[in-house]
Each structure stands twice: as structure tokens, then as C-alpha cells.
Amino acid sequence: VVRDAALWFYYPENLEALTRAGAKLVTVSILDDAPWPALDGLYLGGGFPETQAARLADNLAVRERVKALAAAGLPIYAECGGFMYLCQGLAVEGTVFPMAGVFPVTTTLCARPQGLGYSLARVARENPYHPVGTLLRGHEFHYSKCQATLGACGGPAPGLPGPESFALVMERGVGMLSGLDGLTTANTFAAYTHIHADGAPHWADHFVAAALAYSRRAR
């Protein structure tokens, strides 16, 4: 679990649900380059990474670490600020700060909220954390917006995410692009939508199952 001055918003019940599901939680930081223990999963919650953008950008070692872990198939779940960190860059007042580069999109900080309020998201595509068809009741609160053009599904724009890259269709709320949220790659899932474990009782068990499967493969 990332917990530092950049990412710190977690529902306590979400962490408790992971523990009940069998996870052993450890805290890591994306702001300093201290070594991390061996991980079987990574949870990046919300926060205000824009307030730490320069420090996050300067910490190349952790940016590369997170990108490598994502490429290796580590189960990674990110919400809002965590999603912003996993992007290619974060634009603040005209300056683009490089982030982890897991997703080929940039987020831009805006003066007014870009998503605010309760949301409903339908799970439309396979992912390790939420079964297809599930209706997620969550919330959005973000001043950033996703800067990208939606690529054609299976089309000739490999640098852009197509609709097939998004697991969630927003029935209420904004999401990332064109009413879509839940950007995925390998075992990484990132969304502007925050969930509460009591409203998504499957989530913790699925996260821990994905972490266990990764641990067995790694051994």
C-alpha cells in the first residue's frame, strides 16, 4: 500500500477487507527511493500527486520500478491519484512532469473539479478485480482530466488506448475518456472511480487471489 504525501486516501474498510481476505499489508512510498520488500500486489490510493509532482518526477528509480512491476504482471490497483501516477505524465500549470509511464496517457490539473459526486460504473470487460456485469457504486473527486484521444478498437494507433483497454462504462459520472473508466493493462487496473469495499465485497478476495497467483508464478 502506497502511503505518503502524494497518495494517502484510503477507506480504512478497504484495507481491513484486504487483511480479512488474507493479505499482509506493508507500506511503501513513491516519493523516496528506499528499497521495497518483495511484493505480490500494489495498491495506489487517492491523494494529491500534483502537490508532489516534481519529487515524483525526480524519483526515477521508483518510476522505473513501478513500470517494471506492471510489465511483469504484478497485480496493481490504482484509484484517482494513483491513476495519475501511473500515467505517462502529469501536467501542472504548463509543466509536464514524467510519471511512471504504465499507461500512454497524460493527466492535466484543472482549476475546477472535472469529476465530483457519486458514480455508477458497469464492468464491461474482463479484469482481475471486478466481475463482468457488476455495477460499481463509487464516487469521483478529481481536479485532473485524462488527456488523450481515444484510439480505434484494434486500430492503427498503438500509442493510444482503445475502448478495449477500459473495463468500466460509466452510467453516472465522468470517468477518464468518452464515458469510460478502469484503464487496464496486464494485471494493472486504474480508475478515477473510488470504491468502498462494503459496496464491492468481491474486490478484496479477487485482489488477494490475483496476488497469490502472481506469487506462485514468481516462485
Side-chain angles (χ1 to χ4, degrees):
V1 179
V2 175
R3 191 186 292 274
D4 53 28
L7 303 179
W8 43 262
F9 176 79
Y10 298 90
Y11 287 120
E13 293 84 357
N14 287 19
L15 303 180
E16 292 166 3
L18 290 172
T19 300
R20 287 196 303 271
K24 177 184 177 182
L25 302 185
V26 295
T27 299
V28 297
S29 173
I30 54 175
L31 285 172
D32 62 60
D33 57 3
W36 289 2
L39 301 178
D40 300 316
L42 183 64
Y43 185 12
L44 300 100
F48 295 101
E50 64 271 18
T51 66
Q52 308 293 326
R55 289 182 63 191
L56 293 171
D58 288 343
N59 195 349
L60 179 61
V62 171
R63 290 196 286 116
E64 290 183 339
R65 181 186 305 164
V66 171
K67 186 174 184 178
L69 288 171
L74 181 79
I76 299 176
Y77 195 91
E79 294 178 325
C80 201
F83 157 63
M84 295 165 68
Y85 180 71
L86 295 182
C87 291
Q88 197 73 33
L90 169 57
V92 182
E93 296 181 347
T95 300
V96 179
F97 297 91
M99 296 288 114
V102 174
F103 296 113
V105 299
T106 294
T107 57
T108 300
L109 189 67
C110 302
R112 297 178 180 274
Q114 300 300 297
L116 178 62
Y118 292 115
S119 59
L120 289 174
R122 179 79 59 183
V123 182
R125 291 178 176 83
E126 294 288 343
N127 67 94
Y129 310 97
H130 302 296
V132 171
T134 302
L135 186 63
L136 298 178
R137 301 177 184 273
H139 82 270
E140 291 181 84
F141 176 63
H142 52 97
Y143 278 77
S144 72
K145 63 181 179 180
C146 184
Q147 289 289 106
T149 301
L150 192 64
C153 185
L160 299 174
E164 73 281 0
S165 299
F166 295 86
L168 306 182
V169 175
M170 303 302 295
E171 296 192 1
R172 184 173 68 212
V174 177
M176 294 177 181
L177 289 173
S178 303
L180 302 174
D181 204 14
L183 193 54
T184 62
T185 181
N187 286 326
T188 298
F189 176 103
Y192 271 131
T193 300
H194 289 272
I195 62 162
H196 190 285
D198 287 350
H202 59 271
W203 169 77
D205 286 335
H206 284 215
F207 197 165
V208 171
L212 182 60
Y214 174 85
S215 175
R216 288 170 174 166
R217 290 195 305 271
R219 295 195 188 101

